[in-house]
Amino acid sequence: MRPGRHQRGGPVQSTQDSVKSSAKVTIADVAREAGVSKGLVSFALNDRPGVAADTRARILQVAEALGWTPSLRARSLSSKRSFALGLVIARDPEVLGSDPFFTSFIAGVETVLAPEGLALVLSVVPDEETELQTYRTLVSDGRVDGVFLSDLRIDDARIQCLADLGLPTVTLGRPDQPSPFPAVSIDDTHGIAESVRHLAGLGHRRIAHVAGSPAMLHGSRRQEAFTSAMRAAGLGDGQIVETDFSIAAGADAARRLLSQPEPPTAIVFANDPMAIAGIGVAQELGIRVPEDVSITGFDDIEFARYVYPALTTVGATPLVWGRAAAATLLGLIRTGGADDVDLPAARLIIRGSASVPAPG
Amino acid sequence: MRPGRHQRGGPVQSTQDSVKSSAKVTIADVAREAGVSKGLVSFALNDRPGVAADTRARILQVAEALGWTPSLRARSLSSKRSFALGLVIARDPEVLGSDPFFTSFIAGVETVLAPEGLALVLSVVPDEETELQTYRTLVSDGRVDGVFLSDLRIDDARIQCLADLGLPTVTLGRPDQPSPFPAVSIDDTHGIAESVRHLAGLGHRRIAHVAGSPAMLHGSRRQEAFTSAMRAAGLGDGQIVETDFSIAAGADAARRLLSQPEPPTAIVFANDPMAIAGIGVAQELGIRVPEDVSITGFDDIEFARYVYPALTTVGATPLVWGRAAAATLLGLIRTGGADDVDLPAARLIIRGSASVPAPG
DNA sequence: CTGAAAGCGCTTACAG
DNA sequence: CTGAAAGCGCTTACAG
């Protein structure tokens, strides 16, 4: 079949012309039909006080009968709202693809937005400068009524930027600086500490950590959690290799750690994709998992259950996080304030990739 | 630290009041300052003919000086456009998370939308009925000027729905029915055929296929490609297990195939996540990859390079696809018509998971 | 080539 | 509790 040229409204014919004609009903039609003013229809629609109960009922009934849907565009212009929330993701798309966090997070967000008639505007940008520019454009275009701020960084410049823009924001996690925005957080240090204790309990002494980026809050926080858990277990500081959270960097780190004269007997990875790459590297080097080296991850992505050996990891709940963040942002926008939310800590899920170290 | 309550505009103070005051500049200010009518400013902004070159230059210069950004909301209301494109994804979020297709696709879309000042509205819905309802809402709200239709299905009801709604659409792949919409496609049958030929060339005779959902166009098309390639190689029809493309189903299928008395010596998986699960299952069963069973995938997700053995697979290019689809949809919206686009066929990428079968 | 005016479809004070 | 009117900030025929 050769590529062809398509015009709008081609071979497939519309069978529902009623849809199109009914799309033209306006508030004026409803007002006339109900015998009231447009203003009153608006009041009834928006549940504002000052409309007699029976009048309101009649208005809503007429609206229903006429198939009236208030024009979002007109409402936006006059009320200066956009009925949409924004999420800007600044990551290399290649890296992004291997991290299922955002798709689950977005699915969680949608469960609260959809029933409210709100939309999600998504941007994927290559770097922080573009991200800041995107926020400015989003605000000057009036595209969104608020945004989610993810992947918090050390001294995150985006917080001041969003505060300057006056854009209602919810941060995913608590920033390391004064922030005017509510934070929806999940404790991830607990899971790292649990991982270390689990491995120490199995008898491991040389435990290494493949950390995420120290410039990112969850990277540095997990690294700190690792260090203090190691000390608490009397195992010293433990060897640490920092990465940018990417699979490639995780594989490199694993290769470096396992190629040493005295390699660790266990490695705690800061996320699942790196841990899975770590399993691959070990196998490639002829090092058995978990007999020769135990491996743990973080996130519990779906792959974790299906690689071999199945990955012992910390279970994050991005869907729940998305739901909570959306509810909080909505509350902030509607009431002008919102409380911080602390989600239940992520817990260790024990599978096959960690076991007692081989003797010797 | 205890959760606290946040008000808008808290401790962080705005340092750029100019931003806020300049946000109030309207077309009337520009018109007055430039000594012309609002209409003429609008004409100049939109590059419409009928404005003297020097007048246009003066207007744009004044606009620049005043820091005027035309109000998207006002433009939307009067021009009946929304300056946004939509993507609705109907998948289980868990399954979605393991498939990096959409994040890369979206990144590709963004590269063309951002420079045009257009936004992407994203919806993740649980099922087809909700998806259809989402399109209707998108249209009646005037949220988007067009949408991308992905994951094409056999007898896809969404095409008629979108045609009825009169919503400009680009389909990812060519539907199996008359469609009024341009299609942006990538040939994936070629890659499957290449996989079969590669395996046959290595000496495999018993080759199985873990197919995707037969209700989905790319699932059934890849399956047909497998069958005809097998016949062309004189290897019969080959054993086929159908799945829903999920990792879990892929693992089940692999387990079933490999637990037979006379298991296949090679398995062609319809996507990478299932193939990776297949490698895991084989290892779990003590079956060596590729010595005892060769495995190939489809997509070339990032993980494919980092599992062990690295996955021989077919390289898809979702980023390129996103770019082409966005360009096509834009063209359709602006000119009322657009040509189909055929992207270069996905090609086989040879890595370590497929080799000559063990003798015997 | 340019201006004055109506219109897009709502919301929101302001009167009564 | 309800109505009449102005306003949100653009675009678009219609005149000239």
Side-chain angles (χ1 to χ4, degrees):
Chain A
M1 192 190 297
R2 307 227 26 197
R5 179 148 186 104
H6 296 257
Q7 308 285 330
R8 287 197 206 167
V12 177
Q13 292 304 316
S14 173
T15 58
Q16 291 184 265
D17 288 281
S18 59
V19 167
K20 291 187 178 171
S21 48
S22 73
K24 308 233 169 198
V25 178
T26 77
I27 198 173
D29 300 318
V30 176
R32 190 182 340 99
E33 194 75 14
V36 298
S37 70
K38 293 191 309 178
L40 209 53
V41 175
S42 177
F43 271 52
L45 168 73
N46 293 304
D47 286 323
R48 308 244 305 216
V51 185
D54 55 338
T55 308
R56 172 195 308 277
R58 180 161 43 91
I59 290 172
L60 294 180
Q61 186 190 324
V62 169
E64 168 86 42
L66 262 45
W68 176 59
T69 317
S71 158
L72 201 72
R73 287 167 183 155
R75 296 183 76 188
S76 284
L77 179 59
S78 54
S79 69
K80 298 182 191 316
R81 286 180 293 166
S82 49
F83 304 98
L85 267 29
L87 174 63
V88 183
I89 305 177
R91 287 208 200 172
D92 177 43
E94 181 81 350
V95 174
L96 191 60
S98 63
D99 186 346
F101 175 84
F102 282 110
T103 42
S104 294
F105 177 81
I106 288 170
V109 166
E110 293 280 1
T111 62
V112 354
L113 294 204
E116 302 281 345
L118 303 176
L120 179 71
V121 169
L122 177 71
S123 260
V124 176
V125 299
D127 53 51
E128 169 158 347
E129 194 39 61
T130 311
E131 182 177 1
L132 295 177
Q133 190 48 52
T134 301
Y135 289 129
R136 293 189 198 103
T137 304
L138 247 23
V139 167
S140 72
D141 281 356
R143 278 279 190 197
V144 297
D145 298 322
V147 293
F148 302 98
L149 186 59
S150 69
D151 286 340
L152 254 32
R153 302 190 267 267
I154 305 284
D155 288 329
D156 204 315
R158 299 172 300 169
I159 291 180
Q160 183 67 49
C161 170
L162 289 166
D164 289 347
L165 289 169
L167 188 59
T169 300
V170 162
T171 59
L172 306 190
R174 220 182 304 280
D176 62 342
Q177 57 183 297
S179 161
F181 304 124
V184 176
S185 317
I186 182 168
D187 180 314
D188 48 4
T189 65
H190 184 80
I192 292 286
E194 262 193 302
S195 301
V196 171
R197 281 199 300 271
H198 176 62
L199 292 168
L202 288 169
H204 291 275
R205 291 288 162 264
R206 287 198 310 283
I207 306 176
H209 180 46
V210 173
S213 168
M216 304 193 66
L217 229 48
H218 61 306
S220 69
R221 202 172 46 224
R222 288 175 196 177
Q223 181 172 333
E224 285 163 18
F226 173 79
T227 303
S228 49
M230 287 292 283
R231 289 182 186 162
L235 299 178
D237 278 4
Q239 194 176 2
I240 293 176
V241 183
E242 289 176 353
T243 72
D244 62 0
F245 273 122
S246 72
I247 300 191
D252 285 347
R255 197 178 309 278
R256 205 172 333 152
L257 286 171
L258 295 174
S259 303
Q260 301 173 117
E262 198 173 48
T265 64
I267 307 177
V268 173
F269 286 81
N271 72 11
D272 280 0
M274 295 198 294
I276 290 172
I279 292 178
V281 166
Q283 293 183 339
E284 182 191 334
L285 296 175
I287 297 172
R288 295 168 302 166
V289 181
E291 292 81 356
D292 301 328
V293 63
S294 285
I295 284 179
T296 70
F298 200 108
D299 283 341
D300 191 29
I301 68 176
E302 210 195 355
F303 273 117
R305 271 189 293 275
Y306 293 98
V307 292
Y308 187 81
L311 191 62
T312 290
T313 187
V314 178
T317 51
L319 203 130
V320 172
W321 210 357
R323 214 190 313 258
T328 301
L329 184 49
L330 264 190
L332 174 63
I333 290 168
R334 311 237 239 234
T335 72
D339 290 331
D340 284 353
V341 175
D342 282 309
L343 267 15
R347 302 297 306 269
L348 183 67
I349 298 165
I350 295 175
R351 298 205 182 94
S353 66
S355 70
V356 295
Chain B
M1 189 190 297
R2 308 230 21 202
R5 180 151 185 100
H6 295 258
Q7 309 284 331
R8 287 197 206 168
V12 177
Q13 292 303 318
S14 173
T15 58
Q16 288 184 266
D17 288 281
S18 59
V19 168
K20 292 185 179 174
S21 48
S22 74
K24 309 232 168 199
V25 179
T26 76
I27 197 173
D29 300 318
V30 177
R32 190 183 338 101
E33 194 75 16
V36 297
S37 69
K38 294 190 309 178
L40 210 53
V41 175
S42 176
F43 271 52
L45 167 73
N46 293 303
D47 287 323
R48 306 244 304 217
V51 185
D54 55 338
T55 308
R56 171 194 309 277
R58 181 160 43 90
I59 290 172
L60 294 180
Q61 186 190 325
V62 169
E64 168 87 42
L66 261 45
W68 175 61
T69 317
S71 158
L72 200 72
R73 287 167 184 155
R75 296 183 76 188
S76 283
L77 179 59
S78 54
S79 69
K80 300 184 190 314
R81 286 181 293 165
S82 50
F83 305 98
L85 268 28
L87 175 63
V88 183
I89 305 176
R91 285 208 202 172
D92 177 44
E94 181 80 351
V95 174
L96 191 59
S98 62
D99 186 346
F101 175 84
F102 282 110
T103 42
S104 294
F105 177 81
I106 288 170
V109 167
E110 293 281 0
T111 62
V112 355
L113 295 203
E116 301 281 344
L118 304 177
L120 178 71
V121 169
L122 177 70
S123 260
V124 176
V125 298
D127 53 52
E128 170 160 345
E129 194 38 62
T130 311
E131 181 177 1
L132 294 177
Q133 190 49 52
T134 300
Y135 290 128
R136 293 189 197 103
T137 305
L138 247 24
V139 167
S140 71
D141 282 356
R143 278 280 188 196
V144 298
D145 298 323
V147 294
F148 302 98
L149 186 60
S150 69
D151 286 342
L152 251 34
R153 302 190 268 268
I154 304 284
D155 287 330
D156 204 314
R158 300 173 300 170
I159 291 181
Q160 183 66 48
C161 171
L162 290 165
D164 289 346
L165 289 169
L167 187 59
T169 300
V170 162
T171 59
L172 307 188
R174 220 181 304 278
D176 62 341
Q177 55 183 295
S179 161
F181 305 124
V184 177
S185 317
I186 181 166
D187 179 314
D188 48 4
T189 64
H190 185 79
I192 292 286
E194 262 193 301
S195 302
V196 171
R197 281 198 299 270
H198 175 62
L199 293 168
L202 289 170
H204 290 276
R205 290 289 164 264
R206 285 197 313 283
I207 306 176
H209 180 46
V210 173
S213 167
M216 304 194 67
L217 229 48
H218 60 307
S220 69
R221 202 173 44 225
R222 289 175 196 176
Q223 181 172 332
E224 284 164 18
F226 173 79
T227 302
S228 49
M230 286 293 282
R231 289 182 186 163
L235 299 178
D237 279 3
Q239 192 175 3
I240 293 177
V241 182
E242 289 176 353
T243 72
D244 61 0
F245 273 122
S246 73
I247 301 190
D252 284 347
R255 197 178 309 277
R256 205 172 333 151
L257 286 170
L258 295 174
S259 304
Q260 301 174 118
E262 198 173 48
T265 63
I267 307 178
V268 173
F269 285 82
N271 72 11
D272 280 0
M274 294 198 294
I276 290 172
I279 292 179
V281 165
Q283 293 183 339
E284 182 191 333
L285 296 175
I287 297 172
R288 296 169 303 167
V289 180
E291 293 81 355
D292 301 327
V293 64
S294 285
I295 284 179
T296 69
F298 199 108
D299 282 341
D300 192 28
I301 68 176
E302 210 194 355
F303 273 118
R305 270 188 294 272
Y306 294 98
V307 292
Y308 186 80
L311 190 63
T312 290
T313 187
V314 178
T317 50
L319 204 130
V320 172
W321 211 356
R323 212 189 315 258
T328 301
L329 184 49
L330 264 190
L332 174 63
I333 290 168
R334 310 238 240 233
T335 72
D339 290 331
D340 284 352
V341 175
D342 282 308
L343 268 14
R347 302 295 306 268
L348 184 67
I349 299 166
I350 295 174
R351 299 207 182 91
S353 65
S355 71
V356 295

